[in-house]
Amino acid sequence: MTRIGYLRARRKQEIEELKHQIYVDKIYIDLTDEFGFCDYESLKAMLEQAGGSDTIVVRRLNDVADDIGQLCNFLSTLKEKGTELVLLDPMQSGILSDRGYELLSFISNFIKEKESCYQSKQSKPGRPVKPYPSGFLDVYKEYRDGRFNGKEAAKRLAINYDKFRNLVKVFEFKA
């Protein structure tokens, strides 16, 4: 059972301060650039060495990941190994629960799906097309309630009648 520390730091002072805050058997340190980014070589080495009976101590989750996907990967690696994680920042400790991990996973998947949709939209050739004109739903409801005919609906939407009919077909299509 080894107590392992991990730190991402830019200055010697940060390293010295952490060494006085925690008591660990071994410490892994990644040095950062001026913006706080690093290559995570020490983190990777630490994760390879850590076992099921070990405890990893970090200041905060920002030290082990730059985005939610990386954070989810880090936490799932620890779960798979059965390694305990201790955070020095008490405000972040709630994320270590199963519910906190589920929430992070949901957010990570949500972001991936939205990015995928956005990339698909960006890669589609041609001019972007707005599927429905502004106010379509309100006009459609009144049209279906029989308050006016399709030509009047098209006029209210400032589109031609054929376009309105096609939009209604697409809108009402049942898959």
Side-chain angles (χ1 to χ4, degrees):
M1 184 157 111
T2 307
R3 193 167 161 92
I4 304 168
Y6 175 76
L7 174 65
R8 181 162 80 163
R10 183 161 183 227
R11 295 188 172 78
K12 179 181 174 185
Q13 180 182 354
E14 290 177 83
I15 298 167
E16 296 302 321
E17 287 173 2
L18 181 68
K19 283 182 180 178
H20 294 300
Q21 288 179 353
I22 61 172
Y23 301 99
V24 294
D25 302 312
K26 188 171 186 177
I27 190 163
Y28 289 83
I29 300 167
D30 276 316
L31 296 178
T32 67
D33 62 18
E34 63 185 291
F35 303 105
F37 293 99
C38 64
D39 59 8
Y40 290 112
E41 292 303 316
S42 290
L43 179 66
K44 292 172 191 169
M46 178 191 68
L47 289 173
E48 287 176 10
Q49 297 296 318
S53 61
D54 295 335
T55 299
I56 294 178
V57 181
V58 297
R59 285 186 300 186
R60 57 188 182 270
L61 294 172
N62 306 39
D63 283 350
V64 295
D66 290 325
D67 61 42
I68 290 182
Q70 286 178 346
L71 182 57
C72 285
N73 288 338
F74 173 77
L75 294 174
S76 64
T77 299
L78 295 184
K79 278 186 170 220
E80 288 169 11
K81 290 181 171 251
T83 305
E84 183 183 352
L85 177 63
V86 174
L87 293 169
L88 297 181
D89 183 347
M91 297 297 290
Q92 294 184 0
S93 60
I95 208 74
L96 299 180
S97 68
D98 287 339
R99 184 74 177 134
Y101 179 74
E102 288 173 10
L103 182 61
L104 274 179
S105 296
F106 169 79
I107 292 169
S108 178
N109 290 334
F110 175 82
I111 291 170
K112 286 177 189 173
E113 288 175 17
K114 286 297 181 180
E115 286 174 349
S116 176
C117 289
Y118 181 74
Q119 287 173 354
S120 295
K121 183 179 176 180
Q122 292 297 98
S123 65
K124 188 174 180 180
R127 174 175 86 165
V129 178
K130 187 175 177 185
Y132 298 102
S134 180
F136 175 81
L137 188 56
D138 293 331
V139 171
Y140 170 81
K141 287 177 185 177
E142 291 182 51
Y143 163 73
R144 279 298 174 213
D145 288 343
R147 294 184 186 156
F148 45 80
N149 64 23
K151 289 186 181 187
E152 179 62 26
K155 184 178 176 184
R156 289 180 182 215
L157 293 170
I159 59 175
N160 69 42
Y161 177 65
D162 290 334
K163 173 82 172 169
F164 176 73
R165 280 191 6 215
N166 287 335
L167 288 173
V168 169
K169 285 180 188 176
V170 169
F171 186 68
E172 292 179 345
F173 179 75
K174 293 178 184 173

